[in-house]
Amino acid sequence: MARGRANGPARSAAASEATRARIVEATLQTIRDEGIVGASARAIARHGNFNQASIYYHFGSIHDAMIAAIQHMSQERLDRYEQRVGRVASLGDLVAVAAELHREDVANGNIRVLAQVLAGATGDDALARSVADVVQPWVAVVGKAIHQALAASPLAAALPVDDLAYAVSALFIGVEMLSTVGPEDRSTSVFAAFEGIAG
């Protein structure tokens, strides 16, 4: 009996964490399918097959659930980016890795989530601050990769790497967003062009 009581809080914490994870995944799927405007409590609950009240119990608001979902997606992808970008040895390598990661993000719907969240952040100061906090580590990873790629080049000391990392990150996001709304996806030819320039 004592063991059952001792395990009770642990089981409760595990169940709570599992529910939070379901809400996060349902929130991301809702944004992918219905956009940020359609990410209501009803829609998220429908995608995750749980009660709407669970969202407010575990996160307090739709806004906070959305931020948690964005942070979760960002951290998962950041881990992947760091693994791949950490092995680049030239600008050509960096462009090739960026193209590969872009294809992955298009395939799993992260591009659509990113585009929707950035659009939503333009009219929501709190969301904008949260998105900025999420984006900053990505810029740092790009900066580190550029340092690695230029390590053997005399350009390393001459270029403002921090500004360049910001510009490259903005360009990458722009290519991703345009690929979701344009009449054709030109990302393949864009990355091919940059690979030629990098060479």
Side-chain angles (χ1 to χ4, degrees), residues 54-156:
S54 296
I55 301 171
Y56 298 100
Y57 177 80
H58 288 280
F59 291 99
S61 68
I62 299 299
H63 184 274
D64 289 343
M66 197 175 299
I67 290 173
I70 296 163
Q71 291 172 336
H72 173 75
M73 183 188 80
S74 176
Q75 189 57 57
E76 279 196 336
R77 292 305 292 161
L78 189 59
D79 290 343
R80 169 69 172 152
Y81 274 54
E82 286 181 321
Q83 289 174 6
R84 293 292 291 113
V85 171
R87 296 195 292 269
V88 303
S90 68
L91 288 178
D93 287 348
L94 182 56
V95 174
V97 168
E100 175 193 341
L101 293 170
H102 177 267
R103 287 191 295 271
E104 289 180 5
D105 280 332
V106 169
N108 60 28
N110 287 342
I111 300 294
R112 177 161 172 75
V113 173
L114 179 62
Q116 287 291 315
V117 167
L118 286 172
T122 59
D124 185 329
D125 289 342
L127 183 59
R129 288 192 296 271
S130 297
V131 171
D133 290 341
V134 167
V135 169
Q136 188 53 47
W138 294 80
V139 178
V141 167
V142 173
K144 181 179 178 182
I146 293 173
H147 273 294
Q148 288 177 203
L150 295 176
S153 170
L155 290 172

Side-chain angles (χ1 to χ4, degrees), residues 8-9 11-21 23-24 27 41 44-45 50-65 68:
R11 282 198 299 269
S12 178
S16 178
E17 192 58 37
T19 301
R20 287 177 63 88
I23 294 170
V24 162
T27 302
I44 293 170
F50 47 71
N51 192 293
Q52 296 180 44
S54 296
I55 301 171
Y56 298 100
Y57 177 80
H58 288 280
F59 291 99
S61 68
I62 299 299
H63 184 274
D64 289 343

Side-chain angles (χ1 to χ4, degrees), residues 1-8 11:
M1 213 42 138
R3 180 182 297 177
R5 286 196 298 271
N7 288 340
R11 282 198 299 269

